[in-house]
Amino acid sequence: MAKKITTMRDSNGQDVPVKYVSAYDKLRDKITRRIEARFRKARAALEAVVSESIADLDELAKCKESLGAKGNFQARSFDALIQVSIRQQYNILLDERVVRARELMLGYVEGVLAKIGGNDAQALKLIVAEAFKANAQGFLSTGKIMSLLRMEIDNADWRKAKQILQDAIKPQKGKRYLACEVRRSTQEDFRQIRLDIADCWPSEN
């Protein structure tokens, strides 16, 4: 026999007799707890999906002779309509030398602009400035920094800046992402099955 509830604890940690709690407050408490239980159940189910899927891919990876050096792995169904993958994200950390590299690169571009101007030099300035902008987590974009390092410019300061950047780079492992994508035919692009609560909002229809 379920124990009868005689009190409810309020936000101050005080036990209030049920008879003094309004019908609305009782219903509000009941519904918020029901939703919390639903979310916890869904969270546990998602954790199981990820854990079991990673275990499956690890088993598959053992049968492959060589894997991606960076921990990435991808597999498709026999009909090529399902694709699952694990992607390892890397962040670029740069020590204090990055300030000098930025100064040299922007200094070179400013010199070109001062001498001859032109849209190309202005575009390069924007590319350099954008590459050295950190995101909300304080990391620089791996792709943008690598793009600067691939640029071959016949200038001593630019070459020096590239060398400083290469010496200052300290890759750091970031998040790992698990994805499952599907398509109806091999002529179509893959579309990810999103396990995102924001993507599950019910249609108005």
Side-chain angles (χ1 to χ4, degrees):
M1 183 177 179
K3 184 179 179 180
K4 186 177 181 181
I5 297 175
T6 58
T7 63
M8 292 177 65
R9 183 157 295 179
D10 67 11
S11 59
N12 294 317
Q14 302 296 319
D15 290 329
V16 180
V18 172
K19 64 181 179 180
Y20 296 128
V21 180
S22 71
Y24 173 77
D25 283 340
K26 290 176 184 175
L27 180 61
R28 182 180 61 180
D29 185 77
K30 179 180 179 181
I31 287 178
T32 53
R33 292 182 187 282
R34 182 193 301 164
I35 293 173
E36 183 215 16
R38 201 175 287 142
F39 268 62
R40 288 188 180 278
K41 183 178 179 181
R43 171 71 187 195
L46 278 177
E47 288 177 356
V49 166
V50 173
S51 178
E52 292 167 9
S53 299
I54 290 175
D56 284 341
L57 288 176
D58 284 343
E59 180 183 354
L60 182 61
K62 292 175 184 177
C63 299
K64 192 175 181 182
E65 292 181 0
S66 62
L67 301 180
K70 294 186 178 181
N72 297 326
F73 186 73
Q74 184 182 95
R76 289 185 181 181
S77 59
F78 194 59
D79 60 9
L81 299 182
I82 303 170
Q83 178 173 279
V84 291
S85 60
I86 290 180
R87 181 170 58 85
Q88 174 69 63
Q89 183 186 60
Y90 278 84
N91 297 313
I92 283 185
L93 292 178
L94 295 169
D95 60 30
E96 66 281 357
R97 288 174 289 185
V98 68
V99 176
R100 181 57 179 157
R102 181 179 183 277
E103 289 175 351
L104 288 169
M105 286 185 168
L106 285 177
Y108 161 73
V109 179
E110 292 287 0
V112 174
L113 283 172
K115 290 179 181 178
I116 59 175
N119 292 332
D120 289 345
Q122 188 63 44
L124 181 57
K125 180 181 178 181
L126 292 175
I127 291 171
V128 172
E130 189 66 27
F132 286 100
K133 281 186 180 179
N135 62 19
Q137 289 73 43
F139 297 115
L140 298 181
S141 166
T142 303
K144 290 175 181 177
I145 291 296
M146 291 305 172
S147 178
L148 290 181
L149 292 176
R150 285 193 294 268
M151 289 184 183
E152 296 294 340
I153 296 177
D154 188 15
N155 175 268
D157 282 346
W158 187 271
R159 289 193 294 271
K160 183 178 179 180
K162 284 176 59 175
Q163 187 59 54
I164 291 173
L165 271 182
Q166 289 173 338
D167 294 340
I169 286 177
K170 301 182 185 305
Q172 181 187 73
K173 279 188 176 182
K175 291 183 178 180
R176 295 183 78 195
Y177 294 91
L178 173 68
C180 180
E181 301 167 289
V182 296
R183 58 185 177 181
R184 289 178 298 182
S185 77
T186 55
Q187 300 304 308
E188 296 184 13
D189 294 330
F190 280 106
R191 297 186 65 182
Q192 186 172 339
I193 299 175
R194 295 182 62 188
L195 301 183
D196 180 355
I197 193 169
D199 195 49
C200 298
W201 202 261
S203 168
E204 292 183 0
N205 296 328

